[in-house]
Amino acid sequence: MASSTARPRVEHGTQAGEVAGRLLDSAATLSYDPMTEVDWETPLDKDFHGASPEWSTLYGTSYWNELSEAQRKELTRQEAASVASTGIWFEMILQQLILRDVYAKDPTDETVQWALTEIADECRHSIMFARGARKLQAPAYRPPRVAIELGRAFKTLAFGEAAYAAILVAEEVLDVMQRDWMRDERVVPFVRTINNIHVVEESRHMKFAREETRRHLAKAGPVRRHIHAFVIAVAAYVIVTSMVNKSVYANAGLDAERAIAEARANEHHKAMMRSSCAGLMEFLASAGLLTKPALAFYQRAHLI
């Protein structure tokens, strides 16, 4: 149920404070408790997909055409669980980035209070995704070891626009696909509820990430801008290529070797990813973050 608690009105001293204040107002009036909003008790109905089938990594391939409806539904359930698990991994990185950014800052500042609110949201989301993956009867999918270690370095070293733009990349990619899933009646109802909660609350996070990226870039020189443009692109590549774990195919009862090969060559899925990132790429271009080295990684990830 959305909260009806009103936040006391205060004067905002800066543009960042004004944005944070509006986001705090929004969080006070429209936030959700996944423990009560999501139907965790009803057994999984395997007549439903776990995600819109058009978002499956195999949709449009010859292998997809050979699968039974039951196999397609099981595959999308495993893929949805993998996306959720990747979301948890990056949300843990995100929380540490934000905590480092606000460490020892004035806690009465509304930007700090919003940052803490966002962290609280992400904690709830991570638990929600974990319970959702378990209900989808999937294992705990983890990113590849190299991605985990790169994430460890990134959460320790990234700052400013590199941190906030990378946060934006992860959230924007998830946002577009989850908007499709939450409206799709072929998707199992509890997953649709999870997606709706995430879309509503992440819209505030994306607003803040865009504002913080712009604010930090205003102080960045050309060398820092080029370095961070490259770092953001590498982070985007690692995040996107880790979203669907290769073991989903075997867990769905498919020929994993064939499925991996067809998914890698799937032009339909690549087009879906590019279309989902059109607005993101426009923002990064307007911020001067689409340098030639960065573009190479976005193209490899099929985001542009």
Side-chain angles (χ1 to χ4, degrees), residues 82-83 86 89 142-144 147-148 237-245:
S82 179
V83 170
T86 302
W89 165 65
R142 306 303 298 151
I148 291 173
Y237 175 82
V238 173
I239 294 164
V240 169
T241 57
S242 300
M243 290 181 74
V244 177
N245 191 295

Side-chain angles (χ1 to χ4, degrees), residues 56-229:
S56 173
T57 55
L58 287 183
Y59 185 88
T61 65
S62 59
Y63 199 1
W64 177 269
N65 294 334
E66 295 172 20
L67 299 180
S68 67
E69 272 302 301
Q71 287 176 311
R72 292 173 179 175
K73 289 170 182 174
E74 180 60 30
L75 174 60
T76 62
R77 289 194 293 268
Q78 294 296 321
E79 289 176 321
S82 179
V83 170
S85 294
T86 302
I88 295 168
W89 165 65
F90 192 75
E91 284 179 343
M92 289 183 176
I93 294 173
L94 181 158
Q95 291 170 54
Q96 293 176 74
L97 290 171
I98 295 175
L99 274 175
R100 283 200 299 107
D101 188 43
V102 301
Y103 174 70
K105 290 184 178 179
D106 179 0
T108 67
D109 189 306
E110 291 199 304
T111 58
V112 176
Q113 292 177 25
W114 165 252
L116 296 174
T117 301
E118 182 168 342
I119 291 167
D121 287 348
E122 298 298 1
C123 287
R124 292 197 311 275
H125 294 169
S126 292
I127 296 169
M128 176 176 71
F129 285 158
R131 293 188 66 164
R134 184 172 63 188
K135 185 164 180 174
L136 285 167
Q137 300 178 3
Y141 291 111
R142 306 303 298 151
R145 173 55 58 181
V146 65
I148 291 173
E149 296 308 320
L150 285 171
R152 195 186 307 280
F154 183 77
K155 70 182 178 60
T156 303
L157 301 173
F159 65 93
E161 63 276 9
Y164 282 100
I167 289 170
L168 182 63
V169 167
E171 291 175 343
E172 289 262 7
V173 172
L174 275 176
D175 182 71
V176 174
M177 65 174 67
Q178 288 185 327
R179 284 178 186 274
D180 283 350
W181 301 358
M182 75 183 196
R183 292 188 287 254
D184 193 336
E185 294 184 357
R186 297 169 296 176
V187 175
V188 66
F190 82 90
V191 169
R192 295 178 64 193
T193 303
I194 287 172
N195 291 327
N196 182 68
I197 291 171
H198 198 246
V199 163
V200 169
E201 297 187 348
E202 289 294 331
S203 66
R204 296 190 286 261
H205 302 181
M206 290 188 290
K207 172 69 173 176
F208 189 66
R210 284 174 181 256
E211 291 300 321
E212 286 298 289
T213 299
R214 291 190 188 98
R215 186 172 70 83
H216 284 285
L217 280 171
K219 301 178 289 186
V223 173
R224 172 173 149 176
R225 185 183 295 264
H226 275 73
I227 292 172
H228 280 191

